[in-house]
Amino acid sequence: SDVGSQKERVVTEEEWLQKWEMGNIGFHKEQGHPLLQKYLDVLLNGRSGLRIFFPLCGKAVEMKWLADMGHSVVGVEICEQAVKEFFSEHSLPYCEEPVPEISGAKMFQSTSGNISLYCCSIYDLSSSIVGKFDGVWDRGALVAVNPCDRQRYASLMISLVEKNSSYLLATVSYDPNKHKGPPFYVPESEVRSLFG
Ligand code: SAH
C-alpha cells in the first residue's frame, strides 16, 4: 500500500556492476520469459522484420529468439560483462566499436548484424543515435529503474518508439513494504500516468 517507502531508494551503476561480477543475477532467466511467448502475437501484430528494443537488456535470451525470427534487435546495458556473456553463451561472433556520439560507450554487434547491444546508460541514448523502434520488450527494465528516474525513463522510451509500435511491459505486484527492490513496485495507475 505504501509505495512511498521505495521512493528514495537508489541502486547505483556500481551496484549493478557488482551484482554481475558476483553472479548475483537472479533476474536472469535461462529459459526465457513465458510472458513473451504468451504475448508474442501482440508484440508482432502480424508484422515481420521489426526493429525491437530491449531496454536494460542484461543478457536476456529473448533477444536471440527474436533475432532468430528475423527481427532486428537493439539492446542497452550498462554492464559490459553482461553483453559479452550474451554473445558467448549463444556462440555468436560479434564486433565491438565505439559510439561517436556517446563518450565511453561501445556498441557490440553480432557479425550477422541483427543484434546490436549498446554498452552505456540508457539515459545516454536518443532516437538520433539508435533510431525508432516498432516493438519494445520491457522486462526487468521499468521495474529496475530507480523510482526517482521513472518519469525520465518513460519520456525517453516514448521518444524511441514509432507511432504504430507495441510495447510489452512486465511488472510485478507485491507489497512494497516487504521488499526494498529492485524490482520496484510500479502500480498500474503509475504505468498509466507515465505512458498515458
Ligand atoms: N531485462 C533483463 C535484465 C534485468 S536486470 C532481463 O530480463 O534479464 C536490469 C539490468 O539493467 C541489469 O543488467 C543492469 O546492469 C542494467 N542497468 C541498470 N541501470 C542501467 C542503465 N541506466 N542503463 C543501462 N542498463 C542499466
Side-chain angles (χ1 to χ4, degrees):
S1 54
D2 182 14
V3 185
S5 63
Q6 292 184 339
K7 256 212 182 107
E8 313 299 324
R9 166 110 161 103
V10 169
V11 182
T12 63
E13 277 179 23
E14 195 49 47
E15 287 173 279
W16 281 111
L17 299 184
Q18 269 167 20
K19 283 180 201 279
W20 278 100
E21 206 174 319
M22 309 285 290
N24 188 6
I25 53 164
F27 51 82
H28 177 68
K29 286 204 181 307
E30 268 329 311
Q31 303 307 319
H33 208 292
L35 285 174
L36 180 57
Q37 266 162 330
K38 184 169 175 193
Y39 293 105
L40 185 63
D41 291 346
V42 175
L43 181 65
L44 303 181
N45 195 18
R47 301 167 298 171
S48 55
L50 302 185
R51 294 193 77 226
I52 300 181
F53 185 47
F54 280 66
L56 282 64
C57 61
K59 53 175 181 176
V61 301
E62 298 86 353
M63 298 193 284
K64 176 77 167 41
W65 292 358
L66 287 162
D68 287 346
M69 288 174 210
H71 304 289
S72 165
V73 168
V74 175
V76 61
E77 167 57 53
I78 200 87
C79 177
E80 183 167 328
Q81 180 190 339
V83 170
K84 288 185 164 163
E85 284 180 14
F86 172 79
F87 287 111
S88 66
E89 287 172 14
H90 296 283
S91 309
L92 289 170
Y94 63 92
C95 55
E96 170 181 340
E97 55 188 63
V99 182
E101 299 92 335
I102 311 170
S103 111
K106 284 189 222 168
M107 201 262 277
F108 294 76
Q109 188 172 55
S110 60
T111 306
S112 53
N114 53 356
I115 304 179
S116 306
L117 305 185
Y118 287 80
C119 187
C120 60
S121 171
I122 188 167
Y123 305 112
D124 294 331
L125 297 184
S126 65
S127 61
S128 60
I129 302 170
V130 291
K132 293 205 182 207
F133 299 98
D134 308 301
V136 176
W137 172 240
D138 182 323
R139 182 269 170 181
L142 173 66
V143 299
V145 162
N146 292 319
C148 57
D149 294 325
R150 257 178 217 159
Q151 184 64 62
R152 181 183 182 198
Y153 172 84
S155 304
L156 173 62
M157 291 304 290
I158 291 168
S159 77
L160 294 181
V161 294
E162 298 280 7
K163 270 213 165 56
N164 291 314
S165 55
S166 352
Y167 191 122
L168 288 187
L169 169 67
T171 61
V172 284
S173 186
Y174 68 86
D175 179 350
N177 293 304
K178 295 191 174 149
H179 176 66
K180 60 189 168 92
F184 295 108
Y185 175 61
V186 188
E188 187 168 351
S189 56
E190 191 167 349
V191 173
R192 288 185 190 285
S193 70
L194 287 169
F195 291 95

